[in-house]
Amino acid sequence: MKYRRNFLAAATAIIAANAEAADNNDGQQATPERPNIIFILADDMGYGDLACYGNKYIQTPNIDRLARTGTSFTQAYAGSGISSPSRCSLMTGKNSGNTRIRDNQCYAGGMTGLKINPRGDTTIVRRANLLPEDVTLGTVMTRSGYRTCLVNKWHLDGYDPQAAPNHRGFQEFYGWTIATVHSNSPYYYPYYRLHGDSLINIKENEHDAHVRHNTEISTDDAISFIHRNKDRQFFLFLGYDAPHEPYNIDDTSWYDEHGDWSMNTKRYAALVTHMDYNIGRLLGTLDNLGLRENTLVIFASDNGAAVMAPLKELNCGAGLKGRKGQLYEGGIKVPLIVNQPGRVPARQIGNLVYFPDFMPTLAALAGHPENTPDDTNGIDISPLFFGRNIDTDQRPLYWEFPGKQRALRLGEWKAVTVRKNAPLELYNIASDPTESDNLAAQHPDMVEKMDKMMRQMRTPSPNYPIPEDGK
């Protein structure tokens, strides 16, 4: 297999890679109570893509092991139904009615630049970006004494080169940005890559050669960071591209026996399995360095599966209504797994949690809850990681695409609309997780209550002006 042929060459470079980085082994060493934290985020992976969440086709043994020996959540939600606002919600602890970035493109302000579409053509779009005053997970964890690093996908820089992760709270960055348009092109087999502000070349992929897959490159960067910081506390955010479209991976050997599958289906499944294999490499590094018990690993996806995903063939959406780009369950409900041997119990729980919760949660895990900004929309859910129970279900959870879609989860109820100016739909998610039975006509008082709560939970944004903000 190609990824195995590339492994030895990549592994040889791991310890020596990024030699320009300073020696960071001068901080406090991690302990089980104040662990290293690794947050792994998949891209456009559906709620039903993992075997541990019911998939019967895609092989994910390493992620499944994390779920089997740790805590998995069955009612976890992303920050939005699409990448930039979801990641902004995760990074800033705010819901998409309060974040800086509320859609992949902004309606006013921001900066314009080129977008390369999956087909290879380009368009000019306008994007917002995080500003220097925005507090991120990187900011909070750096202030808490952790060495911080973001690997691969950021998607919060818009077209401002000075809004990369290493300018927004993270001390190290290895990956690609929107602002440097060619830094991740061609997708999955890039020739260019950013190390901080320096653009380097992946020589093996020169002339469009498909030698080093971006999932491998990202894992190598993550492993190198772990080696350099094995003697001090670190926070590593590893944002894989997989399985985002276009589905580019040459090795589909896991699924070649499925003669009735299309190549699109085989490649999608292979991207997930290849990511799982590399997560196994990462976990193996922690084991070999004796860091596993001192490291909390979190795994999630940034939103639901995309329209090009084999939703029916592989059941990527687990039967949920909607997909990426929508605020139905299929667009925002995601897998969430937390694992730390000896501390996180093996269990599955149904508490309502979502991305804004991670700002106060990681600050608490680092022992510095005071570093959480006052304007976050989340709560500290870390007790759930360690077997304790707290009530997370009575608070409202809010999402929006400004002026287009909005949704609110309140206990067992969910109000949602995915069309501009369309009336709210109402579902009882406890009895109807697939949002099949709209109860709005039977419960107008609940619809009115939730509509009022949604209007109170959002704040106007100069980048996303909508008519009602002027009232």
Side-chain angles (χ1 to χ4, degrees):
M1 294 183 183
K2 290 188 178 181
Y3 70 88
R4 286 173 182 158
R5 291 200 299 269
N6 298 334
F7 175 72
L8 289 178
T12 303
I14 283 173
I15 306 301
N18 308 316
E20 73 278 9
D23 182 5
N24 302 314
N25 296 331
D26 56 354
Q28 184 176 347
Q29 193 164 25
T31 66
E33 293 73 27
R34 290 288 178 265
N36 304 313
I37 299 172
I38 299 177
F39 199 118
I40 304 171
L41 192 67
D43 195 350
D44 288 5
M45 193 186 74
Y47 181 79
D49 275 335
L50 302 174
C52 53
Y53 278 81
N55 195 283
K56 300 184 184 304
Y57 307 100
I58 303 177
Q59 302 168 33
T60 52
N62 294 295
I63 301 173
D64 295 343
R65 191 176 303 113
L66 288 176
R68 188 172 61 252
T69 60
T71 294
S72 56
F73 291 76
T74 60
Q75 292 199 90
Y77 289 92
S80 180
I82 203 165
S83 185
S84 288
S86 185
R87 291 163 191 267
C88 191
S89 177
L90 175 60
M91 281 290 163
T92 65
K94 299 179 182 181
N95 66 45
S96 52
N98 294 294
T99 51
R100 181 76 60 189
I101 302 172
R102 306 185 184 191
D103 203 340
N104 271 5
Q105 300 176 30
C106 64
Y107 312 161
M111 299 174 68
T112 58
L114 288 177
K115 177 184 178 182
I116 301 177
N117 297 314
R119 294 182 302 275
D121 55 326
T122 61
T123 55
I124 296 177
V125 300
R126 181 180 299 276
R127 296 183 186 268
N129 57 267
L130 287 184
L131 300 180
E133 60 264 33
D134 292 319
V135 176
T136 69
L137 289 180
T139 310
V140 167
M141 298 304 287
T142 299
R143 289 174 180 171
S144 300
Y146 280 63
R147 184 68 185 179
T148 57
C149 177
L150 188 140
V151 171
N152 200 49
K153 184 170 181 176
W154 170 239
H155 228 248
L156 302 176
D157 58 299
Y159 290 107
D160 182 359
Q162 294 302 304
N166 52 313
H167 297 280
R168 296 294 183 267
F170 287 88
Q171 294 162 305
E172 298 185 39
F173 166 55
Y174 309 94
W176 62 276
T177 63
I178 299 170
T180 308
V181 179
H182 55 291
S183 60
N184 197 37
S185 181
Y187 212 69
Y188 285 119
Y189 293 96
Y191 175 60
Y192 296 98
R193 192 168 181 83
L194 287 165
H195 283 191
D197 292 328
S198 300
L199 194 63
I200 62 110
N201 298 135
I202 308 298
K203 292 293 186 182
E204 299 92 329
N205 291 343
E206 192 172 14
H207 305 304
D208 200 25
H210 286 196
V211 178
R212 293 189 68 199
H213 195 273
N214 195 47
T215 299
E216 299 168 1
I217 297 168
S218 299
T219 306
D220 292 343
D221 287 338
I223 289 175
S224 179
F225 173 78
I226 293 171
H227 273 280
R228 293 196 309 275
N229 293 280
K230 60 185 175 61
D231 295 323
R232 64 157 302 159
Q233 289 174 313
F234 61 79
F235 170 54
L236 168 64
F237 189 94
L238 174 54
Y240 285 119
D241 290 336
H244 192 288
E245 62 184 23
Y247 305 135
N248 288 341
I249 184 168
D250 292 345
D251 184 3
T252 60
S253 55
W254 297 278
Y255 303 104
D256 287 345
E257 64 185 33
H258 294 280
D260 57 331
W261 287 14
S262 68
M263 280 307 299
N264 183 72
T265 299
K266 290 180 182 179
R267 287 173 179 149
Y268 182 90
L271 282 168
V272 176
T273 298
H274 183 232
M275 175 177 62
D276 178 87
Y277 169 81
N278 279 277
I279 289 173
R281 288 178 54 207
L282 188 77
L283 297 174
T285 298
L286 296 176
D287 288 334
N288 293 337
L289 294 175
L291 298 177
R292 191 66 186 87
E293 293 183 356
N294 291 351
T295 303
L296 179 79
V297 177
I298 303 168
F299 177 86
S301 177
D302 68 338
N303 48 248
V307 66
M308 286 184 63
L311 294 167
K312 293 182 179 179
E313 297 92 332
L314 300 184
N315 197 30
C316 303
L320 299 174
K321 186 176 184 176
R323 52 171 172 75
K324 174 186 176 179
Q326 296 180 326
L327 298 182
Y328 287 128
E329 295 289 277
I332 57 175
K333 189 175 183 181
V334 294
L336 173 63
I337 301 165
V338 179
N339 188 289
Q340 185 185 354
R343 294 206 72 213
V344 175
R347 64 173 184 161
Q348 188 178 80
I349 58 177
N351 293 72
L352 284 176
V353 299
Y354 75 150
F355 276 9
D357 293 331
F358 281 103
M359 174 70 81
T361 298
L362 295 195
L365 288 169
H368 290 278
E370 72 279 3
N371 287 335
T372 302
D374 294 333
D375 58 353
T376 55
N377 298 125
I379 63 172
D380 173 16
I381 61 171
S382 61
L384 297 174
F385 297 175
F386 306 117
R388 299 190 294 277
N389 292 315
I390 58 173
D391 185 3
T392 63
D393 297 357
Q394 301 310 309
R395 61 194 175 124
L397 311 183
Y398 178 68
W399 302 264
E400 70 170 44
F401 288 109
K404 300 175 182 178
Q405 301 184 42
R406 56 193 182 122
L408 186 86
R409 181 75 194 268
L410 182 64
E412 63 187 12
W413 294 100
K414 181 180 176 184
V416 59
T417 180
V418 299
R419 299 191 310 275
K420 185 177 181 179
N421 299 324
L424 287 171
E425 303 163 23
L426 182 69
Y427 301 99
N428 187 304
I429 299 299
S431 60
D432 179 24
T434 59
E435 296 170 297
S436 301
D437 187 12
N438 182 5
L439 302 175
Q442 291 95 311
H443 299 279
D445 292 345
M446 179 60 71
V447 173
E448 183 179 357
K449 173 184 176 181
M450 296 180 76
D451 180 35
K452 183 178 179 181
M453 294 178 75
M454 282 192 266
R455 296 180 188 279
Q456 292 174 339
M457 290 192 70
R458 70 177 309 275
T459 55
S461 165
N463 295 125
Y464 303 91
I466 59 176
E468 69 178 50
D469 288 337
K471 292 182 179 179

